[in-house]
Amino acid sequence: MSYKWWQSAVIYQIYPRSFQDSSGNGIGDLQGIIERLDYLNDGTRDSLGFDAIWISPFFKSPMKDHGYDVSDYCDVDPLFGDLDTFDRLLAAAHQRGIKVIIDYVPNHSSDQHPWFIASRSSKDNPQRDWYIWRDPKADGSPPNNWGSFMGGPAWTLDEHTGQYYLHQFVPEQPELNWRNPAVKEALFDAIRFWLDRGVDGFRMDVIGLIIKDEMLRDNPVNPNVNLTELHPNDVMGRTQSLYNLDQDDVHPILKEMRQIFDRYDGDRVIIGELWGPLDRWARYYGENLDEIHMPFNFRLMDEPWETAAEARQKVNDLEAAIPAGGWPNYVLGNHDRIRLATRFGPRARAAIMMLLTLRGTPTFYYGDELGIKNVDIPPEKVQDPQAKGLGAGRSRDVARTPMQWDDTPHAGFSRVEPWLPVEDEYQVRNVTAQTADPSSQLNLVKQLLYLRRGSAALSIGEYESLSDDPHVFLFRRWHGEDEKIVALNFSGKRISVDLERPLTLLLSTAVDRTRQAVSGVFELRPYEGAVFGAADKESIE
Ligand code: GLC
C-alpha cells in the first residue's frame, strides 16, 4: 500500500495576521511567513520539521471576518502582500520540502465582491440568483427562523430591492447560491487558479454549509435550549441545525470538486471544515473515497473529555466510523477555539503527545508548540465579530494573538503595537527562550516530530488500544517491523503501567527522563506521556 504525502505529514496552521509582521503595520503578512519558514522546517534537526503549512485566508477582503469575507478569490489582499509575494512564499516553502495548503471560502463572499454588488443592484440583474434572496414574510419578518453563527438572524433586508439575503455569518458575508451552475463554475475556476499556481491543497471553510434545504424550511426549535443561559442575540442557538447545513445533495458537488483535484499531479489534498454526528461526518469521505480526503476531526478539541477513558472512547469511535481506506486526522486547536494550553492545562503535554502519535494527520495551531494561552482582550481592543455579536465568552480573539518569537517589545512579531495584544508572559514564553531550554514544550514538540518522522509505525502505521485503564491511554502503533507503544497518563496521580515486556523509553513529556531500558512495568508521573520502542536496538539519534 502506498501512502500520500498528506497522510504522513504534520500540518502547521498559520493565522497570517498573527505570525510575523514584515511591513511594520502591526499585522502579519506573507513576507513575514517567508522569513520564518526556517523555524518550521530548515531540513535539519534544529528546526521543528513540519511537513506542511495551512495558511488562513490572505485573499482580497474588507476584513469584516478577518479574511473569511473574500472580495476577490484570485488575488492577495495588499495587507498581506501580492501574488508575487505568494509565489515567492510557495517557492521558498517547496524548497524546504514544506507543502502549502490554502484556505478556500466557498460558502459566502464579501458583500464587496463584484458578484454581490451586481446581485444586489436589482431584482433582475443576471447575477441576482448568484446569492440567496427571498421575499419577507407577510408581516415583513425574515423568510425563515435561521440564525447566524455570529449572533442575530441569518437574513438581512436589502431596503433597495425589498428582499432579504442569507448570511449565516456576518451580514457582510452573503451566501453564494451553489445550486446555480454558473456560481459553481466560477468557484471551481478559483480552485483551478491556485492549483495551477502550484498549491498543494485546500482547507475548505464550512464546506457542509454550501448547500441548504432547497425550500429553506424553518429549523426545528431546539428542545434542550435554556433560554435564560442563551445569549439574547443567539438566534441560531434556539433551533436545531437541520436544514441550513449538511444536506444530502452537497455530496454530488463535492464529487465534482474532487475530480478537479484528481486531474492534477502531486496528490493535491482537500481538507474540509466539518462537524456533526459521526455517521453523517464520515459520509464526506465519499462513498468511494471520492469526495474530501480528510474531513477535519475536531472531536478531541470540541467535545468535553478529561480522563484517558474518555479520550480512548473518542479515538476508538472515530476509528470505527472511518470508511475502509479513509484516513483519520486530529486537531486540538485552531483560530476559532480556545488555546490548547488553556483547554488542557496540566494535561497539555500529554495531549500534544497524543496528537502527534495517534493514527492520522495532525494539524497543529501556531503558538501551541510554545503553550501560548488564551489572552484576555480588553473591551476596546476586541476585533472578532463573533465576540461583538455574542459576547466576550465567544471571543475568538483570545487564540489569535501574535506569535511570540523573543523577549523584545511585541515579542519580535512586529516593530509597532500589534493588532491584538501579545500574551503577558511572552518574555518567558517565546521561541528563543524555549529553544535554549531542553525541557521546554517547544523542544518536546521538536523531539516528537523527529521521532514520528523517523518511525513508519507512528507516521503511517496501524493503531490499537491496549487497555481499559481509566487513567492511562495505552496504545500500540505498528508498521512492518516497527512498533511503538504510547502511554498517556491524563490523571494527576502516579500510575504504573504494565507494558508486558522489556522495552526502551524513547521519549517522555517529562523531558528530563532520558532514553532508557524499561523492564516491563513503568511508573508514569502525573500527566506524563511516554513513547516506547523495542528493547535495546532503538535509537532516536
Ligand atoms: C469558519 C472559519 C471561521 C469563519 C467562518 C466563516 O468556521 O474557520 O473563522 O469565521 O468559517 O467563514
Side-chain angles (χ1 to χ4, degrees):
M1 191 162 174
S2 72
Y3 287 83
K4 314 281 190 208
W5 67 265
W6 47 266
Q7 292 180 284
S8 59
V10 183
I11 302 169
Y12 188 87
Q13 181 191 352
I14 294 177
Y15 195 66
R17 296 179 78 85
S18 299
F19 199 56
Q20 179 65 57
D21 170 20
S22 77
S23 64
N25 62 357
I27 298 176
D29 45 52
L30 297 185
Q31 177 59 32
I33 300 176
I34 297 177
E35 287 164 17
R36 293 297 188 179
L37 282 176
D38 278 343
Y39 165 71
L40 298 175
N41 197 343
D42 69 1
T44 75
R45 249 201 104 169
D46 293 337
S47 70
L48 285 156
F50 282 101
D51 307 283
I53 51 176
W54 148 34
I55 313 170
S56 287
F58 47 77
F59 315 104
K60 246 181 143 190
S61 165
M63 304 291 164
K64 297 294 180 196
D65 187 18
H66 300 116
Y68 284 94
D69 48 322
V70 179
S71 56
D72 184 345
Y73 286 94
C74 300
D75 205 353
V76 173
D77 195 274
L79 198 58
F80 295 124
D82 54 22
L83 280 172
D84 181 55
T85 332
F86 179 78
D87 288 342
R88 284 191 292 106
L89 167 56
L90 192 62
H94 285 168
Q95 223 171 40
R96 290 165 177 76
I98 303 174
K99 305 278 187 186
V100 176
I101 297 167
I102 63 169
D103 217 310
Y104 176 64
V105 193
N107 179 62
H108 42 267
S109 72
S110 157
D111 66 339
Q112 297 308 307
H113 196 294
W115 300 338
F116 188 71
I117 293 175
S119 181
R120 88 183 307 172
S121 67
S122 77
K123 273 167 125 173
D124 50 18
N125 183 280
Q127 282 179 299
R128 183 66 167 182
D129 187 46
W130 279 45
Y131 292 83
I132 301 174
W133 293 97
R134 289 292 182 279
D135 287 332
K137 283 192 180 153
D139 65 356
S141 62
N144 70 21
N145 68 353
W146 298 0
S148 158
F149 285 89
M150 307 280 193
W155 296 93
T156 288
L157 181 66
D158 178 53
E159 302 282 347
H160 169 61
T161 56
Q163 286 192 311
Y164 281 91
Y165 67 88
L166 179 69
H167 58 83
Q168 299 189 70
F169 296 91
V170 294
E172 294 87 354
Q173 290 168 302
E175 304 216 355
L176 285 149
N177 176 17
W178 273 81
R179 293 185 187 274
N180 179 333
V183 170
K184 196 174 68 179
E185 269 320 306
L187 284 151
F188 283 177
D189 279 347
I191 294 178
R192 292 187 196 100
F193 175 87
W194 293 102
L195 289 176
D196 287 341
R197 270 196 130 73
V199 306
D200 302 288
F202 281 75
R203 172 266 187 191
M204 300 198 164
D205 192 64
V206 293
I207 192 69
L209 265 67
I210 61 170
I211 287 288
K212 308 93 188 40
D213 174 51
E214 196 149 20
M215 293 155 64
L216 302 177
R217 277 170 279 188
D218 273 343
N219 273 328
V221 170
N222 183 351
N224 307 317
V225 73
N226 180 344
L227 285 173
T228 51
E229 278 173 18
L230 201 69
H231 190 285
N233 201 25
D234 192 352
V235 177
M236 177 172 261
R238 293 180 214 158
T239 61
Q240 290 173 316
S241 289
L242 185 63
Y243 293 119
N244 58 315
L245 49 78
D246 192 24
Q247 303 299 294
D248 290 345
D249 38 359
V250 74
H251 294 283
I253 294 187
L254 297 180
K255 285 188 177 43
E256 255 186 88
M257 200 181 261
R258 169 66 175 270
Q259 284 165 17
I260 301 177
F261 284 74
D262 288 349
R263 272 182 223 122
Y264 285 80
D265 60 1
D267 295 319
R268 318 288 176 105
V269 69
I270 310 179
I271 305 172
E273 189 198 14
L274 288 152
W275 331 270
L278 265 179
D279 53 338
R280 292 201 66 85
W281 170 86
R283 291 180 62 193
Y284 286 87
Y285 282 94
E287 281 156 2
N288 301 306
L289 300 180
D290 52 0
E291 295 182 28
I292 287 178
H293 298 96
M294 290 193 287
F296 257 144
N297 163 32
F298 296 142
R299 285 177 177 76
L300 288 170
M301 173 174 70
D302 283 357
E303 296 176 3
W305 66 269
E306 292 291 320
T307 65
E310 290 163 331
R312 178 190 304 120
Q313 191 63 49
K314 294 200 183 303
V315 171
N316 291 348
D317 288 349
L318 184 97
E319 284 277 349
I322 288 176
W327 187 249
N329 74 92
Y330 291 91
V331 182
L332 292 184
N334 69 24
H335 65 293
D336 294 329
R337 299 294 191 271
I338 62 171
R339 278 285 182 186
L340 188 157
T342 303
R343 161 78 167 84
F344 293 104
R347 296 175 181 79
R349 284 185 179 219
I352 288 172
M353 181 172 272
M354 176 175 69
L355 175 70
L356 296 176
T357 56
L358 281 173
R359 185 178 88 103
T361 304
T363 300
F364 212 93
Y365 185 49
Y366 86 95
D368 280 350
E369 68 275 28
L370 305 173
I372 296 183
K373 296 195 183 116
N374 274 12
V375 176
D376 282 335
I377 311 293
E380 70 282 5
K381 297 218 165 125
V382 169
Q383 305 280 339
D384 179 20
Q386 185 166 282
K388 291 176 186 165
L390 292 171
R394 294 288 293 279
S395 169
R396 302 175 298 177
D397 289 336
V398 295
R400 296 176 174 180
T401 59
M403 179 64 174
Q404 294 160 204
W405 297 103
D406 57 38
D407 64 1
T408 62
H410 316 305
F413 163 73
S414 177
R415 303 192 285 281
V416 301
E417 191 178 332
W419 74 290
L420 278 175
V422 176
E423 188 188 28
D424 281 347
E425 293 163 56
Y426 80 89
Q427 281 174 323
V428 288
R429 193 170 13 256
N430 61 61
V431 171
T432 308
Q434 290 203 16
T435 302
D437 171 6
S439 69
S440 67
Q441 185 162 303
L442 179 64
N443 274 317
L444 171 67
V445 171
K446 214 178 265 185
Q447 290 184 55
L448 272 166
L449 289 170
Y450 184 75
L451 185 63
R452 183 187 167 95
R453 205 159 48 243
S455 162
L458 290 178
S459 52
I460 52 170
E462 302 297 316
Y463 156 89
E464 175 185 44
S465 151
L466 290 180
S467 87
D468 293 332
D469 189 304
H471 303 299
V472 176
F473 185 8
L474 186 68
F475 59 88
R476 180 168 91 93
R477 301 286 317 280
W478 74 97
H479 183 87
E481 298 282 281
D482 183 23
E483 183 184 35
K484 299 284 181 280
I485 305 287
V486 181
L488 304 165
N489 178 7
F490 285 113
S491 83
K493 294 183 296 195
R494 298 180 83 92
I495 299 184
S496 284
V497 277
D498 185 1
L499 302 166
E500 291 180 353
R501 67 209 140 112
L503 291 171
T504 306
L505 170 68
L506 300 176
L507 183 61
S508 158
T509 53
V511 255
D512 61 305
R513 296 230 214 213
T514 47
R515 187 172 178 274
Q516 55 187 267
V518 175
S519 66
V521 174
F522 187 78
E523 191 183 62
L524 289 163
R525 297 178 193 166
Y527 307 117
E528 183 180 0
V531 184
F532 304 90
D536 297 325
K537 324 189 271 288
E538 287 283 351
S539 163
I540 57 166
E541 247 336 294

